[in-house]
Amino acid sequence: MALFLQVYVVSSLWISELLPDMHTEKAILLQEREAKATNFFVSWLVLGAPVMINLIFSSICFSVPIYYLANLRSGFHYFGMFTLTLYCACLGNLFMAYAVAFFTQSYRSSVTLYPGVVGMQTFYCGYSVIISSLADWFRWGATVNPGTYAMAAWYQNELKNNGFNDYEDFANFFEWDHSLQSCLLYLLLFIVVNKLVLYLALNVMKIKQS
């Protein structure tokens, strides 16, 4: 499980390297709007498209050595689910990073805020801190945390029906008792929500410029 947590944290923090480029894109977008050479809705649709494609190859290249060096569950289907989960988690955090960059005024602000959000995701993922040990009013973070569903998906993909007798007990203990399909749906929902938040950030930026 520690390996899965490291994969999530490293892949999420790697996205922070793109924050300077995101601020550059924001500056270009503002200049284009001032010159009336762009449409914000179209810009929102295509924003991050090259990185999304690059993430496909990055996720595969990142997964291959980790998966086989760690001797994870054999089978192309299981490797595919591991990589798909990684891609969905990275894509959701990519749009979150874009939203952070577009809401903040400077690169320094965004590079401080984004890792903090990833830190909260790590805290609530179920492995760093046992969710059941938290106060009732503080547990809601695990429900809205993409890290929870990424970890649950990797846990099920690796250990469900794989001869691990305590599978159900550990799933309940870490609160990873979600189906693999529901985990992926939650990750897709996280992508959509962050994409919509990015649209809100673009409109706030548009109002400020007006």
Side-chain angles (χ1 to χ4, degrees):
M1 295 306 103
L3 172 65
F4 296 150
L5 181 62
Q6 289 176 13
V7 168
Y8 185 82
V9 172
V10 170
S11 60
S12 298
L13 290 179
W14 169 79
I15 294 172
S16 64
E17 296 292 325
L18 303 175
L19 285 169
D21 295 330
M22 294 175 184
H23 278 275
T24 300
E25 287 183 68
K26 179 173 73 171
I28 293 172
L29 188 59
L30 287 172
Q31 291 174 359
E32 289 178 345
R33 184 182 180 275
E34 190 173 351
K36 297 181 179 180
T38 189
N39 179 284
F40 259 42
F41 182 74
V42 175
S43 298
W44 169 72
L45 285 178
V46 302
L47 199 60
V51 184
M52 289 171 60
I53 297 171
N54 181 51
L55 272 179
I56 297 174
F57 300 101
S58 298
S59 298
I60 295 172
C61 293
F62 189 60
S63 296
V64 169
I66 290 173
Y67 201 86
Y68 291 103
L69 287 174
N71 197 27
L72 297 179
R73 195 172 187 175
S74 60
F76 181 77
H77 168 73
Y78 300 110
F79 171 76
M81 289 304 299
F82 178 89
T83 306
L84 177 62
T85 301
L86 176 63
Y87 177 73
C88 290
C90 286
L91 192 57
N93 280 330
L94 173 70
F95 289 131
M96 183 181 69
Y98 264 109
V100 167
F102 279 55
F103 269 122
T104 53
Q105 294 293 325
S106 66
Y107 164 69
R108 180 172 295 181
S109 299
S110 58
V111 84
T112 302
L113 181 58
Y114 174 77
V117 176
V118 173
M120 289 303 296
Q121 291 180 2
T122 304
F123 178 83
Y124 273 116
C125 74
Y127 187 76
S128 301
V129 174
I130 305 305
I131 303 302
S132 59
S133 68
L134 300 175
D136 292 339
W137 59 270
F138 203 53
R139 295 181 189 176
W140 63 269
T143 306
V144 298
N145 177 27
T148 301
Y149 302 104
M151 292 289 289
W154 283 327
Y155 175 76
Q156 291 186 47
N157 188 56
E158 178 64 22
L159 294 175
K160 188 175 183 179
N161 300 324
N162 197 24
F164 182 49
N165 296 328
D166 297 323
Y167 170 82
E168 292 292 343
D169 292 335
F170 275 88
N172 292 327
F173 180 72
F174 291 118
E175 299 198 10
W176 292 339
D177 50 346
H178 312 282
S179 68
L180 189 57
Q181 292 77 11
S182 66
C183 288
L184 291 175
L185 284 174
Y186 275 114
L187 288 173
L188 289 174
L189 179 61
F190 182 66
I191 293 170
V192 172
V193 168
N194 278 319
K195 186 72 171 174
L196 292 174
V197 172
L198 176 56
Y199 184 72
L200 176 63
L202 282 169
N203 278 278
V204 170
M205 192 172 65
K206 180 179 176 182
I207 293 170
K208 287 182 178 179
Q209 193 187 32
S210 299

Coordinates of all heavy atoms in Angstrom, one line a residue, residues 68-100:
Y68 N 6.3 -3.8 -12.9 CA 7.0 -5.1 -13.1 C 8.2 -5.2 -12.1 O 8.5 -6.3 -11.6 CB 7.5 -5.2 -14.5 CG 6.3 -5.5 -15.4 CD1 5.8 -4.4 -16.2 CD2 5.7 -6.7 -15.5 CE1 4.7 -4.6 -17.0 CE2 4.6 -6.9 -16.3 CZ 4.1 -5.9 -17.1 OH 3.0 -6.1 -17.9
L69 N 8.8 -4.1 -11.7 CA 9.8 -4.2 -10.6 C 9.3 -4.5 -9.3 O 9.9 -5.2 -8.5 CB 10.6 -2.9 -10.6 CG 11.6 -2.6 -11.7 CD1 12.2 -1.2 -11.6 CD2 12.7 -3.6 -11.8
A70 N 8.0 -4.1 -9.0 CA 7.4 -4.4 -7.8 C 6.7 -5.7 -7.8 O 6.1 -6.1 -6.8 CB 6.4 -3.3 -7.4
N71 N 6.7 -6.4 -9.0 CA 6.1 -7.7 -9.2 C 4.6 -7.7 -8.8 O 4.1 -8.5 -8.0 CB 6.8 -8.7 -8.3 CG 6.5 -10.2 -8.8 OD1 6.2 -10.4 -9.9 ND2 6.6 -11.1 -7.8
L72 N 3.9 -6.7 -9.3 CA 2.5 -6.6 -9.0 C 1.7 -7.6 -9.8 O 2.3 -8.4 -10.6 CB 2.0 -5.2 -9.3 CG 2.6 -4.0 -8.5 CD1 2.1 -2.7 -8.9 CD2 2.4 -4.3 -7.0
R73 N 0.4 -7.7 -9.6 CA -0.4 -8.8 -10.2 C -0.2 -8.9 -11.7 O -0.4 -8.0 -12.4 CB -1.9 -8.5 -9.8 CG -2.8 -9.7 -10.0 CD -4.2 -9.3 -9.5 NE -5.1 -10.4 -9.4 CZ -6.3 -10.4 -8.9 NH1 -6.7 -9.2 -8.3 NH2 -7.1 -11.4 -8.9
S74 N 0.0 -10.2 -12.1 CA 0.3 -10.4 -13.5 C -1.0 -10.4 -14.3 O -2.1 -10.7 -13.8 CB 1.0 -11.7 -13.7 OG 0.2 -12.8 -13.2
G75 N -0.9 -10.0 -15.6 CA -2.1 -9.9 -16.4 C -2.2 -8.5 -17.0 O -2.1 -7.5 -16.3
F76 N -2.5 -8.5 -18.3 CA -2.6 -7.2 -19.0 C -3.8 -6.4 -18.5 O -3.7 -5.2 -18.4 CB -2.7 -7.4 -20.5 CG -2.8 -6.1 -21.3 CD1 -1.7 -5.4 -21.5 CD2 -4.0 -5.7 -21.8 CE1 -1.7 -4.2 -22.2 CE2 -4.1 -4.5 -22.5 CZ -3.0 -3.7 -22.7
H77 N -4.8 -7.1 -18.1 CA -6.0 -6.4 -17.6 C -5.7 -5.6 -16.3 O -6.1 -4.5 -16.2 CB -7.1 -7.4 -17.4 CG -8.3 -6.9 -16.6 ND1 -9.2 -6.0 -17.1 CD2 -8.6 -7.0 -15.2 CE1 -10.1 -5.7 -16.2 NE2 -9.8 -6.3 -15.0
Y78 N -5.0 -6.3 -15.4 CA -4.6 -5.6 -14.2 C -3.6 -4.5 -14.4 O -3.8 -3.4 -13.7 CB -4.1 -6.7 -13.2 CG -5.0 -7.8 -12.9 CD1 -4.8 -9.1 -13.4 CD2 -6.2 -7.5 -12.2 CE1 -5.7 -10.1 -13.1 CE2 -7.1 -8.5 -11.9 CZ -6.9 -9.8 -12.4 OH -7.8 -10.8 -12.1
F79 N -2.7 -4.7 -15.3 CA -1.8 -3.6 -15.6 C -2.6 -2.4 -16.2 O -2.3 -1.2 -15.9 CB -0.7 -4.0 -16.6 CG 0.2 -2.9 -17.1 CD1 1.1 -2.3 -16.3 CD2 0.0 -2.4 -18.4 CE1 1.9 -1.3 -16.8 CE2 0.7 -1.4 -18.9 CZ 1.7 -0.8 -18.1
G80 N -3.5 -2.7 -17.1 CA -4.3 -1.7 -17.7 C -5.1 -0.9 -16.7 O -5.2 0.4 -16.8
M81 N -5.7 -1.6 -15.7 CA -6.5 -0.9 -14.7 C -5.6 0.0 -13.8 O -6.0 1.1 -13.4 CB -7.3 -1.9 -13.9 CG -8.4 -2.6 -14.6 SD -9.6 -1.4 -15.3 CE -10.2 -0.6 -13.8
F82 N -4.4 -0.5 -13.5 CA -3.5 0.3 -12.7 C -3.1 1.6 -13.4 O -3.1 2.7 -12.9 CB -2.2 -0.6 -12.5 CG -1.1 0.2 -11.7 CD1 -1.1 0.1 -10.3 CD2 -0.1 0.9 -12.4 CE1 -0.1 0.8 -9.6 CE2 0.8 1.5 -11.7 CZ 0.9 1.5 -10.3
T83 N -2.8 1.4 -14.7 CA -2.4 2.6 -15.5 C -3.6 3.6 -15.8 O -3.4 4.8 -15.7 CB -1.8 2.2 -16.9 OG1 -0.8 1.2 -16.6 CG2 -1.3 3.3 -17.7
L84 N -4.8 3.0 -16.0 CA -6.0 3.9 -16.2 C -6.3 4.7 -14.9 O -6.6 5.8 -15.0 CB -7.2 3.0 -16.6 CG -8.5 3.7 -16.8 CD1 -8.4 4.7 -17.9 CD2 -9.6 2.7 -17.1
T85 N -6.2 4.0 -13.8 CA -6.4 4.7 -12.5 C -5.4 5.8 -12.3 O -5.8 6.9 -11.9 CB -6.3 3.7 -11.3 OG1 -7.3 2.7 -11.5 CG2 -6.6 4.4 -10.0
L86 N -4.2 5.5 -12.6 CA -3.1 6.6 -12.5 C -3.4 7.7 -13.5 O -3.3 8.9 -13.1 CB -1.8 6.0 -12.9 CG -0.6 6.9 -12.9 CD1 -0.3 7.6 -11.6 CD2 0.7 6.2 -13.4
Y87 N -3.8 7.4 -14.7 CA -4.1 8.5 -15.7 C -5.3 9.4 -15.2 O -5.2 10.6 -15.3 CB -4.4 7.9 -17.0 CG -4.8 8.9 -18.1 CD1 -3.8 9.8 -18.6 CD2 -6.1 9.0 -18.5 CE1 -4.2 10.7 -19.6 CE2 -6.5 10.0 -19.5 CZ -5.5 10.8 -20.0 OH -5.9 11.8 -20.9
C88 N -6.3 8.7 -14.7 CA -7.5 9.5 -14.3 C -7.2 10.4 -13.1 O -7.6 11.5 -13.0 CB -8.7 8.5 -13.9 SG -9.4 7.7 -15.4
A89 N -6.4 9.8 -12.2 CA -6.0 10.6 -11.0 C -5.1 11.8 -11.4 O -5.3 13.0 -10.9 CB -5.2 9.8 -10.0
C90 N -4.2 11.6 -12.3 CA -3.3 12.7 -12.8 C -4.1 13.7 -13.6 O -3.9 14.9 -13.5 CB -2.2 12.1 -13.7 SG -0.9 11.3 -12.8
L91 N -5.1 13.3 -14.4 CA -5.9 14.2 -15.2 C -6.8 15.1 -14.3 O -6.9 16.3 -14.5 CB -6.8 13.4 -16.2 CG -7.5 14.2 -17.3 CD1 -6.4 15.0 -18.1 CD2 -8.3 13.3 -18.2
G92 N -7.3 14.5 -13.3 CA -8.1 15.3 -12.3 C -7.3 16.4 -11.6 O -7.6 17.6 -11.5
N93 N -6.1 16.0 -11.2 CA -5.2 16.9 -10.6 C -4.6 17.9 -11.5 O -4.2 19.1 -11.2 CB -4.1 16.2 -9.8 CG -4.5 15.7 -8.5 OD1 -5.4 16.2 -7.8 ND2 -3.9 14.6 -8.0
L94 N -4.5 17.6 -12.8 CA -4.0 18.5 -13.8 C -5.0 19.7 -13.9 O -4.6 20.9 -13.9 CB -3.9 17.8 -15.2 CG -3.6 18.7 -16.4 CD1 -2.2 19.3 -16.3 CD2 -3.8 18.0 -17.7
F95 N -6.3 19.4 -14.0 CA -7.3 20.5 -14.1 C -7.4 21.2 -12.8 O -7.7 22.4 -12.9 CB -8.6 19.9 -14.5 CG -8.7 19.4 -15.9 CD1 -9.2 18.1 -16.3 CD2 -8.2 20.2 -17.0 CE1 -9.2 17.7 -17.6 CE2 -8.3 19.8 -18.3 CZ -8.8 18.5 -18.6
M96 N -7.1 20.6 -11.7 CA -7.1 21.3 -10.4 C -6.0 22.3 -10.4 O -6.1 23.4 -10.0 CB -7.0 20.3 -9.3 CG -7.1 21.0 -7.9 SD -6.9 19.9 -6.5 CE -5.2 19.3 -6.7
A97 N -4.8 21.8 -10.9 CA -3.6 22.7 -11.0 C -3.9 23.9 -11.9 O -3.5 25.0 -11.6 CB -2.4 21.9 -11.5
Y98 N -4.6 23.7 -13.0 CA -4.9 24.8 -13.9 C -5.8 25.8 -13.2 O -5.6 27.0 -13.3 CB -5.7 24.2 -15.2 CG -4.8 24.0 -16.4 CD1 -4.5 22.8 -16.8 CD2 -4.3 25.1 -17.1 CE1 -3.7 22.6 -17.9 CE2 -3.5 25.0 -18.2 CZ -3.2 23.7 -18.6 OH -2.4 23.5 -19.7
A99 N -6.8 25.2 -12.5 CA -7.7 26.1 -11.7 C -7.0 26.9 -10.7 O -7.2 28.2 -10.5 CB -8.8 25.3 -11.1
V100 N -6.0 26.3 -10.0 CA -5.2 27.0 -9.0 C -4.4 28.1 -9.7 O -4.3 29.2 -9.2 CB -4.3 26.0 -8.3 CG1 -3.2 26.8 -7.5 CG2 -5.1 25.1 -7.3

